[in-house]
Amino acid sequence: QVQLVESGGGLVQAGGSLRLSCAASVRGFDWYVMGWYRQAPGKQRELVATISSGGSVYYANSVKGRFTISRDNAKNTVYLQMNSLKPEDTAVYYCNAALRHVSSWGQGTQVTVSS
């Protein structure tokens, strides 16, 4: 069982920055593919970024060049640095941990970007 706790969300003006953190309570954290997803009101949950156990990263086109995903295996934590935020980035951001057929979600953290 993987427990994920997100933090770092909040209200920010357009052009600002936020850093999200996701702390995982699990053995073998470094084996997991970690990801950030988001869900805006009335929309489906969408992938934002992932980072593999080896450090390979993937970004959705909408956040490339603005967001950076990273992980600290010693702290069982994954981060999402979000710069140049836009109002369309407003959503609940969820952390995900995946390993083989197991996928776990955090409770989400709200990010609101005002124009």
Side-chain angles (χ1 to χ4, degrees):
Q1 186 76 15
V2 183
Q3 291 188 331
L4 303 170
V5 179
E6 300 103 331
S7 61
L11 173 64
V12 64
Q13 288 189 331
S17 298
L18 283 174
R19 188 196 196 202
L20 305 183
S21 299
C22 171
S25 298
V26 64
R27 280 188 171 184
F29 172 81
D30 50 340
W31 288 100
Y32 282 76
V33 175
M34 300 301 297
W36 286 98
Y37 292 71
R38 66 187 181 186
Q39 187 166 18
K43 295 188 176 181
Q44 289 188 329
R45 191 172 297 188
E46 64 176 1
L47 174 64
V48 175
T50 62
I51 184 166
S52 71
S53 58
S56 297
V57 298
Y58 168 85
Y59 296 99
N61 286 336
S62 58
V63 306
K64 275 182 183 177
R66 300 188 298 123
F67 291 10
T68 302
I69 189 171
S70 61
R71 65 191 297 161
D72 185 337
N73 290 336
K75 296 182 178 179
N76 279 20
T77 301
V78 63
Y79 305 97
L80 186 68
Q81 177 66 43
M82 305 186 294
N83 298 328
S84 302
L85 283 161
K86 305 175 181 180
E88 51 263 44
D89 294 318
T90 295
V92 177
Y93 283 71
Y94 296 91
C95 179
N96 176 268
L99 179 62
R100 299 189 186 95
H101 61 281
V102 177
S103 181
S104 302
W105 296 91
Q107 82 287 351
T109 184
Q110 176 70 46
V111 171
T112 302
V113 184
S114 63
S115 56

